[in-house]
Structure formats: C-alpha cells, structure tokens
Amino acid sequence: MTRLGHALITALGLGLLLGTFPAQAQTFLTIGTVNNGDMVRMQLLAKEYEAQHPDVRLNWVVLDENTLRQRLTTDITTNGGQFDVITIGAYEAPMWGRQNWLTELKNLPASYGVEDLMPNVRKQLSVDGRLYAVPFYSEGSITYYRTDLFAAKGLTMPEEPTWEQIRGFAEKLHEPARGIYGICLRGKAGWGENMALVTTMVNAFGGRWFDERWEPEIDSPEWHKAVNFYVDMLSAFGPPGPSSNGFNENLALFNAGKCGMWVDASVAGAFVTDRTQSQVPDKAGFAKAPRQITAKGSSWLWTWALAIPASSRKQQAALDFILWATSREYGELVAQRYGISAMPPGTRLSTYANPAYLEATPFAKVTQEAILTADPTSPSIKPVPYVGVQFATIPEFQAVASLVGRQISGALAGNTRVDKILHTSQGAVRRTMKRAGYYDAK
C-alpha cells in the first residue's frame, strides 16, 4: 500500500474515533430567484425548511428581474449547472420544458394537491399536459388608486376604467408640489418590465405584436396611439425620472404615498395594504386594469414559478424544496408570520375558497378575476399566431421586446420621438424574424 493510502486510512480512523466527521453529507442547493417581496419572504421562511432538513443548506442568488433572466438564460442554454432551483415564468417554462432543459415534475405526492393549482396557471407551466414548473405566485395586472385622494377631489373610480379615464384622473390628482404624482407606471426598459405594461396597453388599443404571418405590427396606428398615450401621460403626470422605475421602484413610491394611481401586478396588493411597509395601507383601492377600445389583453397574466434545471445533480433535494415552497403548508406559514393576506396569491383554488382569506384581502376578488379571465391564446381583438398576453412565447421575443423596450424607455426620457422609434423598431424586429426563419420577408 502506498504512503498516501496509509495516510488516508489513518485520517479516516482518527475521524471516526474523534467523531469529527458529520453523520451525513451536506447537500447544498443553489437557488436563483428575483428580488420581489414574496421571494424575499421565501428566503426568510426557508430557515424553517433548513431546520427541518439539517442535511440541506440553501445558497441564495437574489437578483433584479432583468439580471436574473440574463443569468438563468445563459446558464440553462449552455448546460452550465450553476443552479439547482430557478425562478422562471410563464414565458420560459414551456419553451425550456420543450427543449428538455427542465426536469419534468411527475408523480408528485397526493398531499401536494396538483389538482388544486389554478388550471389557467398550471397550463402556462406545462407542455402537452406535462408539468415543468410549480407556481410560487401568479398575477394579473390591476389598477391601484388612493381612495382618500379620489374622495378629496370628488372622483369615482369605475370597476372597469378606460385609459382615457385614467389620464383624466391623473391630471386632477397630480400635485408635484405636495409630492403626489397623478400616476406611476413602469418605465424601466425590459421585456418583463416596461414592455409588460406597454403590451397590455397596445392590446387595449386594438393592436398586436405580429399578424398571422409573423409580420411585426409595431409601426401600426394602434402602437402609435398606445405608446404616444403612455409617454405623454407619464411624462406629464408621473414622477420624475420614470424611465428608471420598474415594479419595485413604483411599489416604493406608492407605499410612500406619492402615487395617486398605479397600474401593475396584482401581487403588490399584499404590500400596499401591509401596515409595516405602507404609509397608506387603509387608503388603497383596487379596480381592473384599464381597457380602451377593448378589454381583451388589457390585463396581463404572469406566473413566477420554481423549476429544476435538468443540469442539476441534486434533483431529489431540489424537488423536495420546491414542493415545500409552493405547498399549502407554506401558504399557511406565511399567513401565520405575516397575516393571511400575505399568502402567495393566484396559485391555488383552495385559497380563493377560503372565506377568511376573502374577507381579509380586499384585492382578492379583482386578482382572481384578472387571472381567470386572461386568455393567452387570444390576447388581441385581431388574430395572432402566438400565445401570451404581454409576451409571445417564442425564443426571439426576449431579444426583440428588450430592443423595443429600450427604445420606448429612451422616448420616455425625452431622447427621441415615439413615431421615429416605432418605425425603427419595426425594421429591426422584422430583420430578426426573417433571420429566424419565420417568413420569407422581402
């Protein structure tokens, strides 16, 4: 036997004798997630999971939405294996599942209650009935407004406002000298940031991303009306520097009492009504997302979900964690720690069948309706070749919508005119679609 062999045996014997070796090996799970409030709660509550699973340690990589998407996309497409659990959405799940980049979630225990997941949500995370991610929370887009400011101005928010009505309200509410802005909207560039909102506005104004032949329609009358309306309204009645504001920035503004209205994700309802976070928790009202010539596609549908990359070498441990984090028991843990209204919304039928939840949660009804009525297969009054309300579930969408988002954010910052950037964007998107083989464009 070699000297190295003797040394290893001696070290092993001493370790056993002195009890310095752990009883079982530690499993380290690396989790990539977004820095939204519900995920921050998950990170805090996961200490409970680690206490129940002393052989597991969780390594968190928490990033802003745009950076997270870049990191995860690079890792998953190169089979990098950096992550064991990833937070993805309704855009990535079906595409990555179809490419076998995600582990199919099958034969889940009956106690998990797969049938309790909202059908509209479960469908977004599946390919041909095969589930590739489980929903952490789901959302539509809704209108938030300050009930006290509306009352002081003698205004009444309709249950189904139009964008024209929203603009009129914003003008009356806008008092920057008092630190109150008529409306807060996403302006930060990104296909999942400003373009989530802008696309629903385009839908509401009767537009679409592509016609039936995959020809872009960005340089269309509907896009020009919608985007000019958006830029003009937010420039006139929004906070300073709106091109820097995404979901989290606008949430902070609303909670500080600075927004008369805000159109964004329904998941924010738990935060604007939280007395520990909001300065106006009892002054928040809720209505449907604004429509214009149509309500079709005027409210987005999104799911933040947990999935396991096929490249992870810790499949079973990763599965055990994501089932815990999306379980009914996890929802009950959130309710115990933060209140019943803080339960992850939009995922389980049982949540909305709970009278206590409905009574304690003023935004529950409008959230549920937004999720159940959104139709990703028909997001426009015109026929479309794609699936998705505020996005098109094709690989090229991330790039083309990010490009258009940067252009629109630049117009919002006053760098160029809307009509010019839409014309330029049309050509750029058309070239991308041609190179990708969607049609033989001339």
Side-chain angles (χ1 to χ4, degrees):
M1 184 178 291
T2 66
R3 191 186 311 176
L4 176 60
H6 280 295
L8 289 173
I9 290 174
T10 301
L12 178 61
L14 286 172
L16 292 173
L17 179 64
L18 298 175
T20 56
F21 285 94
Q24 51 189 329
Q26 289 260 303
T27 298
F28 291 88
L29 292 179
T30 299
I31 303 168
T33 193
V34 68
N35 64 344
N36 289 351
D38 282 275
M39 280 67 175
V40 173
R41 283 178 178 158
M42 174 175 64
Q43 187 178 359
L44 294 172
L45 292 175
K47 297 184 187 305
E48 296 272 345
Y49 180 84
E50 288 181 305
Q52 298 166 14
H53 301 78
D55 57 323
V56 175
R57 285 293 173 266
L58 305 177
N59 174 40
W60 296 88
V61 180
V62 183
L63 302 166
D64 69 89
E65 192 167 322
N66 287 340
T67 306
L68 177 74
R69 286 184 167 127
Q70 292 169 1
R71 285 278 302 274
L72 296 187
T73 300
T74 299
D75 187 67
I76 202 83
T77 55
T78 60
N79 199 34
Q82 295 182 39
F83 299 95
D84 302 298
V85 174
I86 56 176
T87 303
I88 59 174
Y91 170 72
E92 298 94 347
M95 290 194 302
W96 294 2
R98 193 173 285 110
Q99 293 292 328
N100 295 317
W101 292 339
L102 302 176
T103 299
E104 182 185 350
L105 306 178
K106 54 186 177 180
N107 301 321
L108 300 184
S111 59
Y112 180 73
V114 171
E115 297 304 320
D116 188 39
L117 300 178
M118 283 191 174
N120 214 11
V121 171
R122 185 177 167 189
K123 186 176 181 180
Q124 288 187 95
L125 306 175
S126 302
V127 177
D128 299 327
R130 299 191 300 275
L131 191 64
Y132 284 94
V134 282
F136 185 71
Y137 74 75
S138 299
E139 64 188 29
S141 51
I142 64 175
T143 302
Y144 300 89
Y145 65 99
R146 285 277 299 279
T147 55
D148 58 330
L149 299 181
F150 266 67
K153 299 286 186 179
L155 306 175
T156 301
M157 174 66 78
E159 289 185 10
E160 300 184 38
T162 66
W163 277 109
E164 287 287 354
Q165 289 173 317
I166 292 294
R167 190 188 192 284
F169 294 148
E171 183 174 7
K172 292 181 172 66
L173 296 170
H174 192 58
E175 296 187 55
R178 294 178 55 205
I180 296 174
Y181 309 107
I183 189 161
C184 296
L185 297 172
R186 297 189 188 193
K188 180 187 291 185
W191 72 267
E193 280 282 7
N194 63 342
M195 292 314 297
L197 175 73
V198 169
T199 300
T200 61
M201 292 185 71
V202 169
N203 294 339
F205 277 76
R208 56 186 174 177
W209 268 95
F210 304 98
D211 71 9
E212 301 94 314
R213 296 177 53 252
W214 290 103
E215 284 280 357
E217 291 207 340
I218 300 164
D219 197 11
S220 65
E222 295 86 359
W223 271 79
H224 282 266
K225 288 177 184 176
V227 178
N228 273 298
F229 184 95
Y230 159 79
V231 169
D232 291 346
M233 178 176 63
L234 194 51
S235 299
F237 309 121
S243 60
S244 298
N245 294 341
F247 171 81
N248 286 323
E249 292 81 6
N250 283 315
L251 173 59
L253 285 169
F254 192 94
N255 279 350
K258 296 183 179 297
C259 303
M261 294 178 295
W262 177 35
V263 180
D264 212 299
S266 59
V267 72
F271 300 102
V272 303
T273 56
D274 184 347
R275 294 182 181 277
T276 67
Q277 300 186 46
S278 175
Q279 296 179 27
V280 290
D282 56 347
K283 299 178 177 65
F286 312 92
K288 290 184 179 181
R291 56 184 296 164
Q292 190 58 21
I293 69 168
T294 180
K296 276 182 82 72
S298 61
S299 172
W300 71 60
L301 179 62
W302 182 252
T303 298
W304 277 119
L306 301 181
I308 305 170
S311 56
S312 171
R313 296 181 180 179
K314 303 158 188 174
Q315 295 282 323
Q316 187 56 50
L319 176 62
D320 188 75
F321 174 77
I322 70 172
L323 293 185
W324 173 82
T326 60
S327 66
R328 284 174 286 215
E329 291 73 21
Y330 175 84
E332 293 167 1
L333 179 61
V334 173
Q336 292 168 11
R337 294 289 182 86
Y338 300 99
I340 194 168
S341 292
M343 291 174 63
T347 60
R348 290 189 173 271
L349 297 170
S350 56
T351 302
Y352 294 88
N354 183 349
Y357 179 80
L358 297 178
E359 183 178 350
T361 310
F363 52 88
K365 181 180 177 182
V366 69
T367 296
Q368 183 183 26
E369 190 167 354
I371 292 171
L372 293 179
T373 57
D375 185 358
T377 65
S378 182
S380 171
I381 57 174
K382 298 179 179 179
V384 299
Y386 53 87
V387 174
V389 178
Q390 77 279 21
F391 57 86
T393 311
I394 57 173
E396 293 74 22
F397 184 81
Q398 186 168 345
V400 301
S402 294
L403 179 151
V404 177
R406 288 192 297 271
Q407 295 290 323
I408 292 176
S409 189
L412 185 60
N415 298 334
T416 187
R417 293 184 301 107
V418 168
D419 293 339
K420 180 180 179 181
I421 64 104
L422 293 182
H423 180 72
T424 302
S425 296
Q426 170 80 9
V429 174
R430 198 167 191 270
R431 287 190 293 274
T432 297
M433 299 301 285
K434 180 181 180 181
R435 284 196 299 269
Y438 280 81
Y439 53 85
D440 183 19
K442 296 180 181 179

